[in-house]
Amino acid sequence: MADREKLYADIVQFLKNHDRYLITAHMNADGDAYASCLAIAYLLHQWGKSFEIILHDERKEDKYAFLWGWQYVQSYRDGMNKQFAAAVVLDVPSLKRIGGPSSLLPQREYCVKIDHHPLEDDFAALQLVDVQASSTSQLVYEVVSRSGISWHLDIATLLFTGIMYDTGRFSFSNTSARDFEIAARLVPFGIRPHEIANRIFFNNSFDSMKVIGYGLANMEAHLDGKVSIIFLPLEIMQQNNHSEIEELANYSVAIKGVEVGLFIREVKPGYFKVSFRSKGRVNVNQVAKAFGGGGHEHAAGCRIQTNYSELKQRLIEEIARQLPEVDAR
Ligand SMILES: [Mn+2]
């Protein structure tokens, strides 16, 4: 893959060529978004480059505070007016999903995109986009390992965390041999996988666990048990909308016979956020697209303004349209 090697080299060169970098990722940053941003920041820091990490989200997720460079993560504020010479955009396919920080991007030729979502907006001249990659952190590993910097526990922890997060602890359908190879190279720098897993997966607040319990207790089965729906109404979301409850998306499909799981929450009156999870036979990216969203084949999402019963009906109809194909296989 000579082309790929050239791309890695071009990205390393891009990171050396400029200064005053903006680093950003998708809104509602997750483990992979944070880790890949911080890993690029680590690289730039090693080379004495200045950078700012600006994410759309108002609130940072403290469970990632053990990661190197956490103090550099800033939240976007309306009207922010900063000039950057270059930008590295991670783990996000569209300007819309970047949110506020997209207004801070320099011209296309000064932007690099590293991502594993299906390509959407063309805002970066240099693009390392691979939908086969488990995570953006995996792609950032490929760049870092060709950068010439020496390995250290801090950077190893960042990349391991991002890969562990996006592969669901090396268990989702996106997990590949490459993830295990990379993990095997990173662990010897002193990583303790169980400690990272504890910090990012098993560190929930008591309140969040109660909300997860509410969601599970009120779960519904549809289409002969092939679709399950977990719904959190507004009054529950107002008590606790911590990202820990996002785990409900994964539980929605963790049921025998379920092909597609939906996790729906009402975030504002009449305004819903939907997460789709697939066992692998239904492409939920296509389902989410029908509602103006997107993501990956096995995990996607959308936001929609409507009423709940209509939303539920439309979602079930759209999935039913794709299910006969599954039955035929
Ligand atoms: Mn990702």
Side-chain angles (χ1 to χ4, degrees):
M1 295 231 295
D3 288 354
R4 185 57 82 85
E5 285 301 329
K6 179 168 187 310
L7 186 52
Y8 295 142
D10 287 348
I11 291 174
V12 168
Q13 204 53 50
F14 177 92
L15 296 173
K16 286 181 169 172
N17 278 354
H18 303 281
D19 204 2
R20 290 190 297 115
Y21 289 86
L22 167 67
I23 302 172
T24 191
H26 62 77
M27 53 172 70
N28 300 317
D30 59 12
D32 186 35
Y34 283 127
S36 55
C37 284
L38 291 169
I40 291 294
Y42 183 93
L43 208 51
L44 293 173
H45 184 76
Q46 293 298 306
W47 291 331
K49 302 289 187 182
S50 68
F51 60 84
E52 290 189 50
I53 305 171
I54 305 177
L55 300 176
H56 179 81
D57 315 275
E58 275 172 44
R59 200 171 50 175
K60 297 201 275 178
E61 274 206 79
D62 290 340
K63 68 179 170 188
Y64 298 107
F66 71 101
L67 294 172
W68 177 92
W70 184 245
Q71 71 279 11
Y72 295 119
V73 179
Q74 302 177 48
S75 299
Y76 178 79
R77 290 183 313 278
D78 279 336
M80 226 180 201
N81 186 17
K82 289 172 180 269
Q83 300 289 320
F84 294 98
V88 186
V89 182
L90 298 141
D91 203 31
V92 59
S94 67
L95 293 168
K96 195 178 91 188
R97 288 278 293 142
I98 297 171
S102 67
S103 68
L104 305 174
L105 291 179
Q107 286 177 2
R108 189 177 174 278
E109 60 184 301
Y110 299 104
C111 294
V112 160
K113 181 207 264 191
I114 305 177
D115 188 24
H116 66 134
H117 298 86
L119 194 60
E120 288 183 35
D121 296 345
D122 179 22
F123 53 80
L126 212 46
Q127 308 196 61
L128 171 53
V129 176
D130 183 352
V131 295
Q132 303 299 325
S134 66
S135 51
T136 298
S137 296
Q138 187 201 83
L139 297 169
V140 172
Y141 169 87
E142 306 295 358
V143 172
V144 171
S145 64
R146 289 160 175 83
S147 70
I149 65 153
S150 51
W151 284 97
H152 180 275
L153 176 60
D154 289 338
I155 179 70
T157 299
L158 284 169
L159 297 169
F160 187 93
T161 301
I163 293 170
M164 181 183 243
Y165 179 87
D166 255 23
T167 59
R169 311 189 285 280
F170 303 94
S171 71
F172 293 160
S173 59
N174 60 358
T175 312
S176 69
R178 188 67 182 142
D179 295 302
F180 291 103
E181 283 167 8
I182 294 170
R185 286 180 197 176
L186 296 178
V187 168
F189 293 104
I191 286 169
R192 284 189 282 267
H194 74 283
E195 283 184 10
I196 295 179
N198 282 344
R199 284 182 189 277
I200 64 175
F201 293 107
F202 308 116
N203 196 17
N204 299 316
S205 67
F206 192 79
D207 272 3
S208 300
M209 290 305 265
K210 299 277 274 188
V211 172
I212 288 170
Y214 172 94
L216 293 175
N218 293 285
M219 184 165 58
E220 290 179 5
H222 294 274
L223 301 179
D224 298 326
K226 292 193 182 72
V227 174
S228 79
I229 299 181
I230 295 174
F231 174 53
L232 297 182
L234 189 62
E235 60 265 30
I236 299 290
M237 289 298 289
Q238 281 168 339
Q239 290 163 33
N240 181 325
N241 65 358
H242 196 277
S243 73
E244 290 163 3
I245 64 175
E246 302 286 306
E247 194 59 24
L248 278 169
N250 297 327
Y251 290 143
S252 71
V253 77
I255 303 156
K256 191 174 175 180
V258 169
E259 289 294 341
V260 177
L262 303 179
F263 172 37
I264 307 172
R265 50 278 201 213
E266 188 174 11
V267 289
K268 283 185 282 188
Y271 191 81
F272 300 86
K273 209 175 139 186
V274 186
S275 294
F276 301 84
R277 292 291 183 274
S278 169
K279 280 254 170 68
R281 283 185 276 183
V282 174
N283 180 347
V284 288
N285 186 29
Q286 291 304 326
V287 181
K289 279 213 170 119
F291 294 87
H296 304 280
E297 281 186 25
H298 61 276
C302 70
R303 289 152 188 267
I304 191 161
Q305 198 170 356
T306 180
N307 70 68
Y308 179 62
S309 56
E310 190 190 313
L311 172 65
K312 187 162 81 172
Q313 196 189 335
R314 284 178 57 202
L315 286 166
I316 293 167
E317 278 168 13
E318 186 59 37
I319 294 163
R321 225 193 302 276
Q322 301 219 19
L323 272 170
E325 292 175 42
V326 171
D327 288 337
R329 274 176 228 176

